[in-house]
Amino acid sequence: MTRPLIPAFTEEGLLYQRQAKGEVIVVRYADDFVIGFREEADARRCLADLRERFAKFGLELHPEKTRLIEFGRYAEERRAKRGEGPPETFDFLGFTHISGKTRKGDFTIHRRSSRKKFQAKLLAIKTELSRRSHHDLTQVGQWLRSVFQGWVQYHAVPGNSARLQQFQDAIQAMWLRALRRRSQRGRRMNWSKFSKIANRWLPTPRILHPYPDVRFASQHPR
């Protein structure tokens, strides 16, 4: 049986393939990629090869994003036997990936919106909301709904409900503070009145995407 292949770059910039002893999976988007190996030796050899190839072009792998970690179905069990803590997590495409289990005890990968990306997005919204502080309420509501729905549609993956709710709560709190700052004394916006506005423009988020195994099954029916 043909062994799995590891992709890397030749000096001519073309892809070449090198045999690996164990299974290999590659996930790539633009210039970011994650490569999973069954065998640790394959992973270490590939990392060394990538660093060598990049160096020949005067390039280097991102020092903070490039890591070799133990992750996957048996990582927690193996680390526990060595007296080590839970497997490391990694961030990819805006999500923190966590090696975990389902309620039935089966292995799964939990995905949470990256805290760093999450906080950066809220800061950007806060800045823009301040700039729009004196705009018409409807205009601000339409803008916030567009931003809110755009973020939710990307991040509404199974298991990420808590982060979606945090996002909604944070935006509501920022908007309420902004409205209160511009309100006249004696006519300050209260929560009862604001909740009607929030419900109109910032509806409760819900999970929109299926689990990966369901999505892949629909794309590749047997």
Side-chain angles (χ1 to χ4, degrees):
M1 182 175 66
T2 303
R3 290 177 175 176
L5 302 171
I6 303 176
F9 289 96
T10 64
E11 293 183 1
E12 295 77 18
L14 301 175
L15 289 172
Y16 85 101
Q17 296 176 322
R18 179 174 182 176
Q19 290 189 335
K21 294 181 180 180
E23 292 179 289
V24 180
I25 183 171
V26 181
V27 180
R28 175 179 176 270
Y29 183 82
D31 59 350
D32 288 333
F33 57 90
V34 173
I35 310 178
F37 298 88
R38 189 184 68 185
E39 301 294 332
E40 181 180 346
D42 290 334
R44 293 189 179 280
R45 184 169 58 250
C46 182
L47 180 59
D49 287 347
L50 285 173
R51 283 175 172 158
E52 180 181 348
R53 298 298 182 185
F54 273 51
K56 289 183 178 180
F57 291 96
L59 303 172
E60 62 179 9
L61 297 173
H62 195 291
E64 296 180 4
K65 292 183 178 180
T66 306
R67 291 184 297 147
L68 190 63
I69 66 172
E70 188 175 25
F71 191 93
R73 187 178 302 276
Y74 305 109
E76 183 176 0
E77 179 182 348
R78 291 169 178 168
R79 292 175 66 85
K81 289 181 179 180
R82 299 196 299 266
E84 299 174 352
E88 293 183 65
T89 64
F90 67 92
D91 287 358
F92 184 58
L93 302 182
F95 291 96
T96 297
H97 293 70
I98 306 165
S99 184
K101 295 181 179 180
T102 65
R103 293 179 180 179
K104 295 182 179 180
D106 299 325
F107 171 76
T108 189
I109 297 177
H110 298 298
R111 290 176 292 170
R112 306 283 188 271
S113 299
S114 165
R115 180 175 295 277
K116 181 178 179 180
K117 298 286 187 180
F118 177 77
Q119 293 177 339
K121 185 64 175 180
L122 288 178
L123 179 60
I125 293 174
K126 181 180 179 181
T127 301
E128 182 62 18
L129 190 58
S130 177
R131 193 183 70 81
R132 295 172 182 251
S133 60
H134 296 291
H135 288 197
D136 178 76
L137 181 63
T138 298
Q139 291 180 331
V140 177
Q142 290 174 338
W143 166 71
L144 273 178
R145 181 172 61 184
S146 176
V147 173
F148 177 73
Q149 290 182 335
W151 192 89
V152 167
Q153 286 174 359
Y154 181 82
H155 290 265
V157 300
N160 202 33
S161 296
R163 190 69 92 202
L164 298 180
Q165 190 60 57
Q166 289 175 359
F167 191 65
Q168 182 192 41
D169 292 345
I171 293 179
Q172 288 181 344
M174 288 190 292
W175 196 11
L176 178 57
R177 286 195 295 269
L179 290 174
R180 282 176 171 173
R181 280 196 296 268
R182 79 176 193 177
S183 299
Q184 297 179 358
R185 291 186 178 182
R187 300 180 59 185
R188 289 180 65 83
M189 179 74 69
N190 57 44
W191 177 255
S192 178
K193 184 176 180 180
F194 175 73
S195 63
K196 297 178 181 178
I197 299 174
N199 290 336
R200 177 184 179 187
W201 300 111
L202 302 171
T204 300
R206 60 186 180 86
I207 299 301
L208 301 175
H209 304 293
Y211 282 93
D213 57 344
V214 175
R215 185 175 72 252
F216 295 148
S218 63
Q219 295 175 353
H220 304 283
R222 294 181 179 179

